[in-house]
Amino acid sequence: MKYLVFLIAMLFTLGMNTSHADTLPSRKKVGLVLSGGGAKGMAHIGAIKVIEEAGIPIDYVVGTSMGSIIGGLYAIGYTPEQMDSMVRKQDWAYLLSDRISRSEKNMAEREVDEKFVISVPFSKTTIQDVTGGLIKGQNIADLFSELTLGYHDSLNFNKLPIPFACVSENIANGEEYVFHSGVLSTAMRASMAIPGVFTPVRLDSMVLVDGGVVNNYPVNVAKQMGADVIIGVDVQSNLKPASELENAGAILGQLIDLMGQENYVKNLKETNVHIKVNVKGYSAASFSKNAVDSLIHRGLIAAEDQKEALLKLKQEIGLPEDYRPTRKTIYQPSDWIMLKNIYFNGLSEDETRWVMKRCDLKENTFNSIRRIKEATTIILANTNYSNISYQLLQNDKGEYDLYYTLNKKNESRINIGVRFDSEETASLLLNARTTLKSDLPSYVSASVRLGKRYGGQLSYGIEPSPLTSLSLAYRYMYNDIDYFRKGKRSFATTFHHHTGEVSYSNVWLRNFRFGWGIKYDLYDYGRFLHQVGNQGFEVNKEHFFSYFANLHYETYDNAYFPSKGVKFHSSYSLNTDNFWDYKDDNPFSIAAGSFEGVVSLTDRFAFLPSVRGRFLFGKNIPFSKMNVMGGDTDERFLTDQLPFAGTTDVELMDNSLLIGGIKLRQRIGSIHYLTLTGNYALSSHKIKNILKEESMFGCAITYGMDSMFGPLEASLNYTNHSDKVGFYINLGYKF
């Protein structure tokens, strides 16, 4: 009998160390309220650490904005230590943007993105999609889905390990909306949709934004859920005096704070322990590594300052001093899951098969969560679908079904590119592109280039299958060019270049593209101005019908300042003046190719070798197709121009041209670079004599910065042909 009594006593003692009111029915219930504040909400993590150390059980968690994110994760079992590690390792600049990792984009998407500084939607559909926010929030939504694996189904939040609620505002009627159920990641995303920054969350007939507008410190919600006492962590900034309201951000923040001020004052009176964090010097956008570290620490300090009040509250709610709650659940994120079935809502059967193959997802196999995220990004970057979301629902066997929901993207955009350099001074590229509603995905694109060299392009394309394109294009370019021979100006000319092209391209492989087609070129030359003593060309008009094919492979992690990857391009064209021959003789042909690579010797120092070549075959090579080189990039002034460090001009070369180059690049800080370049060119009339005839050496030292407006570069260069030092500077993407 005494053993039975002892066993009962032990079970009772163990029961006293569990976490919630079911084991201590007489105690008061504790609600933890976490305010909104953007990045300042990182302080919640430090405060929760101290609350747990004090041995106070939490029965309800309620949050707004960043408070809803920290609170939601805490409610499903994340420890403060787990959240601390998680927020520190995130790339917040990437998460708080619509940016897609370059490695996940196909070749065509990369080329578009790396020409334009500004891209703005202008159609009715896309304007509706971004109403109330400039950022769609795809990246942050994907993170929430990853972090809440196992809670993707529609849930009653009262049944989470800790009952949870979060606050949003329905701007359709101006009323507060409290999430007590639904998909957890959706609720968190809606609660932090800052008006004017993030796109609202549309749910049923509601348009939901950041709850901080109406109730940024929702003590009343915790009370309604059943909390008897409230511990509140407050990361709101104090109202600013008139002298500090000097910019739009400060004014907008003040307006939001004022709108919720009445509720804040009421809720503050209902708070038993108010942990007010000193967030001076930080804003809602302070997501830098140092800021996150400091804010977590400030939350811990603020809670430590209230340690005595917390211990007193512990007594008031009926708990002994040595009481320590036992956590019901510690969330253990899964890196790999068994994927049973995959469903795509919004795709046809053919599109589903293509997406499955493109993303390399397979049913009835183990897949990493990282791979599922990558698949989501690939779909977003490579298809005509947007606003992609996914759910992973677990069955009784522990297997998961993956559900993708996709919305058709009928997007129209205006794109703007700007470039300044010491050759052309200023250039402007304007582009408008719209996706047409048709059985087959199709688009129309129009571009205008303004500057010393001006022109435009009009193109129409259809996509008979994903990532394949059949296009019809017309291009026009006006040029006023000085030509050099052996470093000396030989002559100058103006010309109008008209091009009509029908082409097919395929970018099915992420880093690979091939294409072929037929093209018509018309070069209409003005007067040739020759230097005294020089014999030049007298050309009026030249025209060609060309059959062409090209291959392009590229894996650079950065288009302008890569630290890894390779780049390869090759092309071949057969040129005629009547579809069959050229000047009553055989057609002439052009073969060209290039290879560039990056060998990183340290995390800051890299070696970049390169080789380029262009070879002309035939008896009658026209002036407009002759080999030229010079400038800092391919096609700097002319369609077939090869770059050459040492000269920024157009240097005429013979029929066979081969250029080898080496770059040594040192990264300084995070976005600054110092590059030493050396290259050597060989040229001859016939390829077999390329090692015997003309050669040319050039070098440059360049400072570069990877700025938000594109690369900024300033270089000193030298070539043995001119035997002089030149200076070149540019800012902006190349086009």
Side-chain angles (χ1 to χ4, degrees), residues 418-435:
V418 181
R419 180 176 171 89
F420 300 88
D421 63 52
S422 52
E423 292 292 322
E424 294 189 87
T425 307
S427 304
L428 179 67
L429 182 64
L430 303 175
N431 169 262
R433 179 184 169 108
T434 184
T435 302

Side-chain angles (χ1 to χ4, degrees), residues 33-37 62-65 166-179 190-195 206-221 224 236 252-268:
V33 176
L34 307 175
S35 81
V62 181
T64 297
S65 194
C166 63
V167 178
S168 186
E169 182 192 18
N170 179 14
I171 58 174
N173 57 20
E175 295 180 357
E176 178 180 329
Y177 181 79
V178 181
F179 281 93
S191 185
M192 54 75 66
I194 303 171
M206 298 183 294
V207 183
L208 302 172
V209 299
D210 194 312
V213 176
V214 288
N215 195 357
N216 202 37
Y217 185 62
V219 171
N220 59 315
V221 176
Q224 293 164 8
Q236 298 179 95
L252 177 62
Q254 187 92 329
L255 287 172
I256 293 174
D257 290 340
L258 286 170
M259 284 189 280
Q261 190 67 13
E262 184 178 349
N263 275 335
Y264 176 70
V265 172
K266 291 180 181 178
N267 285 326
L268 197 59

Side-chain angles (χ1 to χ4, degrees), residues 644-647 676-679 697-702 716-720 726:
F644 189 81
T647 177
L676 297 177
T677 303
N679 44 205
F697 167 77
C699 60
I701 179 169
T702 305
L716 293 173
N717 54 73
Y718 169 83
T719 175
N720 64 336

Side-chain angles (χ1 to χ4, degrees), residues 696-714:
M696 182 173 174
F697 167 77
C699 60
I701 179 169
T702 305
Y703 161 78
M705 182 176 74
D706 195 5
S707 79
M708 63 182 294
F709 303 106
L712 169 65
E713 294 177 302

Side-chain angles (χ1 to χ4, degrees), residues 198-236:
F198 285 98
T199 302
V201 172
R202 296 177 180 269
L203 189 64
D204 299 326
S205 61
M206 298 183 294
V207 183
L208 302 172
V209 299
D210 194 312
V213 176
V214 288
N215 195 357
N216 202 37
Y217 185 62
V219 171
N220 59 315
V221 176
K223 287 283 190 178
Q224 293 164 8
M225 292 175 70
D228 300 302
V229 296
I230 300 294
I231 300 173
V233 186
D234 185 358
V235 298
Q236 298 179 95

Side-chain angles (χ1 to χ4, degrees), residues 515-536:
W516 52 267
I518 183 170
K519 179 172 66 172
Y520 174 76
D521 286 295
L522 172 63
Y523 295 85
D524 186 1
Y525 288 94
R527 184 178 178 184
F528 279 77
L529 301 176
H530 305 287
Q531 296 295 311
V532 177
N534 285 338
Q535 294 186 357

Side-chain angles (χ1 to χ4, degrees), residues 60 98 168 344 445 486 556 585 649 660:
Y60 307 99
D98 291 326
S168 186
F344 291 90
S445 178
K486 299 183 178 181
Y556 279 172
D585 203 339
D649 305 311

